[in-house]
Amino acid sequence: MKILIIGGVAGGATAAARLRRLSEANEIIIFEKGEHVSFANCGLPYHIGGVIEDRSKLLLNTPASLKTRYNLDVRIFNEVLKINKEAKTVEVRNLITKEIYIESYDKLLLSPGAEPFRPNIPGIDSDKIMTLRNVADMDRIIAKTKDLKNIAVVGGGFIGLEVAENLVEKGLNVTVIELGNQVMAPVDYEFAKMVEHHATAKNLNILVNTGVEAFEEMGNEIELKLNTGKTILADTVVFAIGVKPENALAKAAGLDLGITGGIAVNEFMQTSDPNIYAVGDAVEVSHYINQAKVLIPLAWPANRQGRIVADNITRGNKISYKGTLGTSIIKLFDLTVGATGLNEKLLKRYAIPYRTVTVTRANHASYYPGATNIVLKMNFGEDGTIYGAQALGQEGVDKRIDVIATAIKGNLTIYDLQEIEIAYAPPYNSAKDPVNILGYVAENMLNDDVRFINYDQLDDYLLTEKAILIDVRTKTEFENGAIPNAINMDVDTLRDNLDFFDKKKKYVIYCQIGLRGYLAQRILRNHNIYSVNLNGGYGLWKPVNS
């Protein structure tokens, strides 16, 4: 069998290696229009910042090494111009010799990835504006920023923030410009605000609700004209507002595209032509939670899909791709932020009823040196279905998000989270892991043992219910910062002050993270006094109100 693969990164390279491991008989040709195949594109920002010092470590394989180990015919600087699916051929241009030739196939795999989105903004074609997609882009950014000082990064997604962080760590002045009301779309607003506060403390300037209307070169600098009426002068710009699927070849060949613009594939990763498969950032996938059609350009799905295609080509269509959960994580200075599944924005968009719970707990036993807090949020349904989670902290974020992602894939519910036995020793954990705590609190909510309101419901609730706001932290904590109009009453004095409470009125209780608020609410409830707890406490309220 003759198998052609268009695109030699992530899904394409994974599929090629798997195809060879399954059979020595197949002829396998990879076409890559760039210089490099099988490179670590997720590591590019970290070489820009010098964290990964050795550039060669990003080059996982070369055409020569792939030929030696896997007997693959890897043709770099070869661009596929056209697919003729009726004749089962592709037209290829050698970018070095300019030769155009035809190659036939029995099976074809499209793995072209996604390209940076560049809207039609005046001046966007300036040489001072760069994007980051491949090794050549990385080299250009390093060369361009070597002797510069002021950098503008347009786009507050993962790539934009990773590049911005690494440029700040090199001592540059960096401003991130984000059109939306928050950075990091996979997390909800309150988490994004915590990220922004942390980034600001690390000298990264972030402007949200801000778009670029035009670029204009001003001698050695470039001026960014913003929709706010202001302008920014920078030495150079990294443009990172997102990516779009590389679908031109598929579209020209008459293959079906999905509603998102990605290449449409079935459960076996076949396109509308059964002899042509597609994987990676170029394809439209179903979200694992609700099967909505989405674009999720991440490394894990691309690699998983590549393996599935190799098996299906070799052994017949037997393995289904079950959808993408969108599990993602980012390091930003001292913080790690992770997410999996559906956030609140998406649950609202899809009109899925849900509840949300946020807990803050130490990453390991608080009495063991070095403990730091993790803020962990979970969205779930009335039947206990877990829809998604987000986490933010310095250490242990990855473990908690991975556990919850695994729980979702295993069809576990919030009740099962209580049953997960997570390894415990004081340097690593607490006897009750934050994931267990999520399960306990979620069950309390569904059983009406605790009543929550979220930070964005507080003002309306206080007004419409004429509720009284009670801060149950210590006097010192209260004096160091509190929600306006709150009355301070330490939770440990609550039983001595029950006469203060009117059983005909409603109360909103809050503490720093929610635990003391829960204890206070139970005390009041056991004395027939109605109260609700502020989800996440003052620690969650403050970032979004400052």
Side-chain angles (χ1 to χ4, degrees):
M1 189 187 304
K2 186 176 182 180
I3 303 164
L4 305 185
I5 299 174
I6 301 175
V9 183
T14 295
R18 176 68 173 170
L19 282 163
R20 177 57 71 224
R21 289 196 298 271
L22 293 177
S23 172
E24 285 288 318
N26 296 325
E27 180 184 0
I28 304 168
I29 304 173
I30 300 175
F31 300 102
E32 173 56 53
K33 65 181 177 181
E35 180 182 0
H36 302 286
V37 291
S38 188
F39 62 87
N41 51 358
C42 294
L44 301 181
Y46 300 103
H47 182 59
I48 291 172
V51 177
I52 300 172
E53 296 181 0
D54 187 349
R55 178 181 180 274
S56 66
K57 291 187 179 297
L58 298 172
L59 308 177
L60 306 178
N61 283 289
T62 66
S65 68
L66 290 172
K67 177 65 176 177
T68 300
R69 178 158 294 179
Y70 295 105
N71 192 26
L72 301 176
D73 182 354
V74 181
R75 303 178 186 179
I76 58 173
F77 295 122
N78 275 249
E79 180 180 11
V80 176
L81 304 176
K82 183 179 178 181
I83 300 169
N84 186 333
K85 55 188 176 64
E86 286 76 22
K88 297 177 69 174
T89 62
V90 298
E91 183 180 299
V92 188
R93 176 190 285 127
N94 184 312
L95 299 178
I96 303 297
T97 66
K98 309 303 180 185
E99 172 197 3
I100 294 178
Y101 62 96
I102 303 296
E103 199 73 63
S104 64
Y105 66 84
D106 295 305
K107 300 293 181 181
L108 175 65
L109 171 59
L110 302 179
S111 181
E115 60 180 327
F117 185 65
R118 292 175 71 99
N120 189 24
I121 298 174
I124 197 169
D125 293 326
S126 166
D127 287 340
K128 296 183 184 298
I129 300 174
M130 302 172 286
T131 57
L132 180 61
R133 184 186 183 187
N134 52 37
V135 175
D137 292 338
M138 176 193 71
D139 291 340
R140 184 176 177 224
I141 291 174
I142 292 172
K144 280 273 190 179
T145 58
K146 185 176 181 181
D147 299 314
L148 303 181
K149 192 63 179 174
N150 300 306
I151 314 296
V153 176
V154 181
F158 279 33
I159 296 298
L161 289 177
E162 287 174 345
V163 170
E165 174 203 12
N166 279 280
L167 292 175
V168 168
E169 297 284 26
K170 290 178 70 173
L172 303 182
N173 299 322
V174 184
T175 297
V176 172
I177 300 165
E178 169 56 46
L179 181 60
N181 70 339
Q182 67 167 79
V183 295
M184 288 191 64
V187 302
D188 287 315
Y189 182 73
E190 66 272 29
F191 276 70
K193 293 301 290 185
M194 288 187 278
V195 169
E196 289 173 33
H197 281 279
H198 180 74
T200 299
K202 295 293 184 178
N203 298 317
L204 173 59
N205 185 31
I206 295 179
L207 303 177
V208 294
N209 296 311
T210 304
V212 181
E213 295 187 337
F215 298 96
E216 184 175 351
E217 292 194 26
M218 309 282 286
N220 292 328
E221 297 177 305
I222 184 168
E223 182 182 69
L224 290 75
K225 298 180 180 179
L226 307 179
N227 62 356
T228 59
K230 297 180 179 180
T231 61
I232 290 178
L233 275 178
D235 296 316
T236 193
V237 176
V238 178
F239 205 84
I241 67 169
V243 295
K244 61 180 180 179
E246 280 269 24
N247 62 13
L249 268 177
K251 185 176 181 180
L255 299 176
D256 290 348
L257 302 182
I259 59 173
T260 63
I263 302 169
V265 292
N266 63 15
E267 61 181 312
F268 304 114
M269 306 307 299
Q270 282 175 301
T271 68
S272 52
D273 183 316
N275 293 308
I276 303 176
Y277 294 76
V279 299
D281 296 355
V283 304
E284 177 181 88
V285 296
S286 297
H287 198 286
Y288 184 83
I289 298 290
N290 65 341
Q291 300 305 302
K293 296 300 182 182
V294 290
L295 296 171
I296 301 182
L298 293 171
W300 184 90
N303 282 276
R304 176 62 182 149
Q305 292 159 10
R307 181 183 174 94
I308 285 174
V309 165
D311 282 35
N312 286 339
I313 287 176
T314 305
R315 296 169 171 171
N317 291 335
K318 296 179 180 179
I319 302 178
S320 300
Y321 183 68
K322 296 178 175 60
T324 302
L325 193 52
T327 305
S328 56
I329 196 164
I330 182 175
K331 183 193 90 67
L332 188 67
F333 302 107
D334 299 328
L335 278 186
T336 299
V337 187
T340 188
L342 297 175
N343 58 34
E344 284 199 74
K345 297 187 296 290
L346 292 174
L347 288 164
K348 290 174 182 175
R349 180 187 304 172
Y350 297 132
I352 299 174
Y354 70 95
R355 294 210 193 188
T356 181
V357 59
T358 304
V359 302
T360 302
R361 293 293 186 275
N363 68 304
H364 59 62
S366 57
Y367 55 82
Y368 187 88
T372 56
N373 278 343
I374 296 174
V375 184
L376 188 56
K377 174 179 180 178
M378 179 174 65
N379 301 319
F380 61 100
E382 293 290 337
D383 62 353
T385 298
I386 304 168
Y387 292 136
Q390 298 157 47
L392 178 150
Q394 294 184 34
E395 295 183 5
V397 166
D398 53 342
K399 176 164 74 173
R400 275 68 187 204
I401 287 297
D402 287 343
V403 168
I404 296 174
T406 303
I408 294 173
K409 282 291 184 86
N411 295 316
L412 304 185
T413 69
I414 61 104
Y415 304 103
D416 296 306
L417 294 185
Q418 305 169 25
E419 300 292 338
I420 295 177
E421 295 185 39
I422 298 176
Y424 162 62
Y428 303 104
N429 209 339
S430 297
K432 289 185 290 188
D433 186 83
V435 171
N436 301 137
I437 298 295
L438 275 183
Y440 292 134
V441 178
E443 181 186 36
N444 283 342
M445 290 179 68
L446 294 179
N447 290 340
D448 198 35
D449 289 332
V450 63
R451 295 167 182 155
F452 279 118
I453 60 168
N454 295 328
Y455 70 92
D456 55 351
Q457 301 170 315
L458 178 61
D459 290 342
D460 285 344
Y461 188 85
L462 292 173
L463 181 64
T464 58
E465 300 294 334
K466 296 182 173 54
I468 299 170
L469 187 60
I470 306 293
D471 183 324
V472 297
R473 299 176 299 163
T474 65
K475 182 180 179 181
T476 300
E477 289 175 289
F478 181 77
E479 291 175 346
N480 286 334
I483 300 175
N485 302 315
I487 297 170
N488 183 221
M489 189 178 298
D490 191 319
V491 64
D492 292 334
T493 69
L494 210 59
R495 291 183 179 88
D496 297 328
N497 289 283
L498 291 174
D499 290 343
F500 169 85
F501 294 94
D502 186 341
K503 292 182 180 180
K504 295 180 181 179
K505 294 182 179 180
K506 294 183 178 181
Y507 298 87
V508 177
I509 309 296
Y510 78 89
C511 63
Q512 187 65 27
I513 62 174
L515 176 58
R516 285 173 290 175
Y518 165 63
L519 299 176
Q521 185 183 117
R522 292 308 307 169
I523 291 171
L524 295 180
R525 190 161 183 182
N526 288 335
H527 288 86
N528 298 315
I529 299 165
Y530 189 92
S531 65
V532 295
N533 195 6
L534 181 62
N535 200 356
Y538 183 72
L540 202 63
W541 178 90
K542 189 176 186 299
V544 297
N545 288 278
S546 61

